Amino acid sequence: MRCYMAPLEGITGYVYRNAFHRHFGGIDRYFTPFLTNRGLNHRERQDILPAHNQGMEVIPQILTNQADLFLELGEILAGYGYGEVNLNLGCPSGTVASKGRGSGFLARLPELERFLDEIFRRSPLPISIKTRIGFSSPEEWSEIFALLERYPMTELIIHPRVREDFYRNTPRREAYAYAYHRAKQPLCYNGDLFTPGDLADICAQFPNTGRVMLGRGLIANPWLALEMAGNPPVRSRDTLLEFCQEILEGYRAQMSGERPVLFHLKELWSYLSNLFEEEAVAKPLKRLRKANGLAEYQQAAEDLIAQCPFRAEGSEAWHKQR
Ligand SMILES: Cc1cc2nc3c(=O)[nH]c(=O)nc-3n(C[C@H](O)[C@H](O)[C@H](O)COP(=O)(O)O)c2cc1C
């Protein structure tokens, strides 16, 4: 089974990816959070610089509905030596979708068709696509799939929710099944894989699944990919602490001032806290969330990691709704 790290904007930037790769691993491909600015802005360029992505297979992701912008970013990425680029057809955020980008593009099929014709004709790099299965209703999927199918993409990553689901409801397996039984291109399943049991379940229903993408489950439990592959290392508190420390140092070097660093670390902990027993973690987590500075944060994180029992493996709960 090939296992990918999902792009999570605000979390899986290069600092996180490097720390993750050093301390955990089990990931075959890392997808960057979306790039969307003409010429790349400073943050985007830092994220894809080869010096910041050594030793990992990294696939940059582009979010746009303008073919010329997609192609321009493709040229820049090819210049940096990347071998593939991914198109985002899933982002549900209001500002993105209302402008017909991300999942919003799925509601404008004639426009999407013109865009795909153009980028597949002229892209300097092979293209993969990450998509939801519709904008408002799963009924849209057969038409969307029929369109996507026509293009020679390297793989189609399916998060089987519609935009209106955001991250609620359960993934719509019948939509994935529809593609599974018809697709000519390789498929990758994405959505709500939080435990090795969840993966086993998908594989039981779709035995030819050869690729999965892990998002929130992997951020909550960085050992997840290793545990899914069988024979994982014992969960080590030292490893977790070093991982968190490395991310903190990386953010400090990347961002100016303590506030944005703290903000991003607290966001990370809203996922990571799921690794621990719920009752035990509540108080230490509250303390961490209230930290006003990095010294206070660091002490809270150290105490939490040292004191809270891990949940039993395979029983991670998922609470956060985006
Ligand atoms: C905070 C956050 C940021 C995300 N950013 C991106 C992104 O930049 N590009 C993208 O394709 N998907 C993005 N996603 C969607 C995830 O990649 C993934 O498709 C989704 O979370 C479902 O997988 P999961 O259930 O394993 O988390 C984001 C999701 C979250 C929660």
Side-chain angles (χ1 to χ4, degrees):
M1 178 66 69
R2 284 171 63 72
C3 208
Y4 302 161
M5 178 184 281
L8 271 78
E9 205 268 321
I11 299 177
T12 63
Y14 74 93
V15 167
Y16 181 91
R17 295 195 300 270
N18 278 285
F20 179 93
H21 191 67
R22 188 178 344 274
H23 295 286
F24 301 99
I27 291 296
D28 297 293
R29 307 184 113 187
Y30 293 83
F31 287 73
T32 73
F34 61 76
L35 311 166
T36 194
N37 288 288
R38 208 165 274 286
L40 297 176
N41 66 22
H42 177 72
R43 184 186 52 76
E44 291 172 335
R45 197 170 286 268
Q46 292 298 308
D47 201 40
I48 55 91
L49 276 184
H52 290 162
N53 291 285
Q54 294 293 305
M56 297 172 265
E57 188 176 351
V58 174
I59 312 295
Q61 184 189 66
I62 298 177
L63 171 81
T64 183
N65 57 6
Q66 296 169 43
D68 65 328
L69 176 54
F70 185 96
L71 294 167
E72 178 199 301
L73 294 178
E75 291 290 350
I76 295 174
L77 294 165
Y80 278 121
Y82 284 97
E84 184 176 320
V85 71
N86 179 262
L87 171 69
N88 178 325
L89 291 179
C91 182
S93 113
T95 45
V96 167
S98 66
K99 291 186 189 132
R101 300 183 295 159
S103 62
F105 221 168
L106 300 176
R108 305 181 182 191
L109 291 189
E111 224 178 281
L112 178 59
E113 181 176 6
R114 282 195 294 278
F115 172 87
L116 293 174
D117 281 348
E118 182 89 0
I119 65 167
F120 275 93
R121 197 159 46 82
R122 295 180 45 207
S123 173
L125 293 174
I127 300 169
S128 62
I129 293 183
K130 177 167 180 283
T131 189
R132 288 193 179 230
I133 52 118
F135 188 79
S136 342
S137 153
E139 316 261 290
E140 299 160 28
W141 179 230
S142 55
E143 205 182 336
I144 293 168
F145 178 74
L147 173 63
L148 297 181
E149 257 251 297
R150 292 184 3 217
Y151 298 93
M153 63 193 73
T154 55
E155 60 185 351
L156 178 61
I157 302 161
I158 301 177
H159 176 203
R161 284 187 165 96
V162 296
R163 187 266 175 168
E164 298 299 327
D165 291 328
F166 286 85
Y167 294 92
R168 294 183 296 268
N169 304 329
T170 43
R172 298 164 188 273
R173 291 230 187 147
E174 52 311 333
Y176 186 74
Y178 183 89
Y180 179 83
H181 293 298
R182 290 169 177 78
K184 292 192 284 286
Q185 63 276 72
L187 291 188
C188 172
Y189 177 85
N190 167 238
D192 288 22
L193 297 178
F194 299 132
T195 68
D198 293 337
L199 176 65
D201 204 36
I202 284 291
C203 292
Q205 190 175 353
F206 307 108
N208 290 331
T209 297
R211 306 162 187 218
V212 291
M213 174 178 267
L214 307 176
R216 295 163 299 166
L218 186 65
I219 310 303
N221 171 15
W223 284 285
L224 182 61
L226 297 169
E227 288 170 2
M228 283 176 166
N231 220 6
V234 175
R235 291 178 179 180
S236 146
R237 289 170 197 277
D238 289 344
T239 302
L240 194 60
L241 191 58
E242 285 162 23
F243 169 64
C244 290
Q245 190 59 28
E246 191 169 322
I247 293 175
L248 186 154
E249 298 301 344
Y251 284 169
R252 263 161 70 146
Q254 183 193 16
M255 301 167 185
S256 58
E258 290 201 355
R259 277 173 70 95
V261 176
L262 259 182
F263 175 84
H264 281 89
L265 291 169
K266 289 178 184 178
E267 171 79 355
L268 173 61
W269 271 100
S270 70
Y271 295 87
L272 259 185
S273 55
N274 286 279
L275 193 52
F276 300 91
E277 279 183 10
E278 201 171 341
E279 264 190 29
V281 82
K283 247 186 166 171
L285 183 63
K286 198 166 165 194
R287 196 176 135 218
L288 185 150
R289 283 192 170 132
K290 282 189 161 172
N292 278 319
L294 285 179
E296 223 179 301
Y297 158 84
Q298 247 173 314
Q299 194 56 57
E302 269 174 40
D303 292 348
L304 189 159
I305 291 172
Q307 291 160 12
C308 294
F310 289 127
R311 278 176 203 272
E313 278 179 36
S315 73
E316 287 75 8
W318 188 255
H319 309 295
K320 191 179 158 75
Q321 293 282 352
R322 197 163 175 244

